[in-house]
Amino acid sequence: MLQLKTPLSPAESDLLLKCLSDMENDLRDRRTCSKQDLAKQTTIASAKQKVASHIYDSFYRDEITHMVFALDSLTRKYREQLTENIPPAQAEAVGAELRTAAIVLSKLKRANPQK
């Protein structure tokens, strides 16, 4: 079991829940559903429940891994948006989301084994 050194802020939790929901929806939208996909869905659902409940001291390594992948996916999507010609207000919002994602990623990567 792993625990985060510092808890997530409400904005960080919301962003992470959004990313996990997107990842979960992508898995559901696939035409095939392998055992591996079902295991991923279970892991993601468990991670979502813990984040929504503000439980940051009992993550499994797979949950942390899927959260990192979900945030990486969001980061790639937002970086692509920034290369397009978008209005300044939208670019500012995307930049704020990218900063929040970077903070959450750093917190997830510093998760410690539970003592």
Side-chain angles (χ1 to χ4, degrees):
M1 298 292 262
L2 300 170
Q3 62 185 5
L4 299 184
K5 284 184 177 181
T6 54
L8 300 176
S9 71
E12 294 166 349
S13 294
D14 290 345
L15 179 69
L16 187 53
L17 286 171
K18 177 183 173 225
C19 293
L20 290 170
S21 292
D22 289 347
M23 188 179 221
E24 193 174 41
N25 291 335
D26 288 344
L27 283 171
R28 281 192 195 128
D29 291 344
R30 289 185 182 178
R31 296 197 187 271
T32 60
C33 192
S34 67
K35 287 182 181 179
Q36 186 179 17
D37 289 342
L38 288 174
K40 283 180 186 177
Q41 285 179 348
T42 303
T43 302
I44 292 167
S46 173
K48 277 178 60 178
Q49 184 178 24
K50 289 175 184 176
V51 172
S53 302
H54 306 289
I55 299 172
Y56 304 118
D57 62 350
S58 60
F59 288 112
Y60 290 103
R61 188 167 302 282
D62 283 350
E63 292 171 335
I64 297 283
T65 300
H66 288 303
M67 288 188 278
V68 168
F69 285 149
L71 286 165
D72 283 343
S73 175
L74 176 87
T75 301
R76 279 192 305 276
K77 182 177 96 175
Y78 279 167
R79 284 190 178 142
E80 287 173 11
Q81 282 184 358
L82 286 177
T83 61
E84 298 170 2
N85 192 13
I86 58 175
Q90 185 180 356
E92 192 173 313
V94 168
E97 295 264 318
L98 281 170
R99 283 188 294 280
T100 303
I103 291 167
V104 175
L105 273 172
S106 70
K107 288 182 178 182
L108 291 174
K109 290 180 179 181
R110 289 183 288 156
N112 288 335
Q114 194 175 14
K115 294 180 182 178

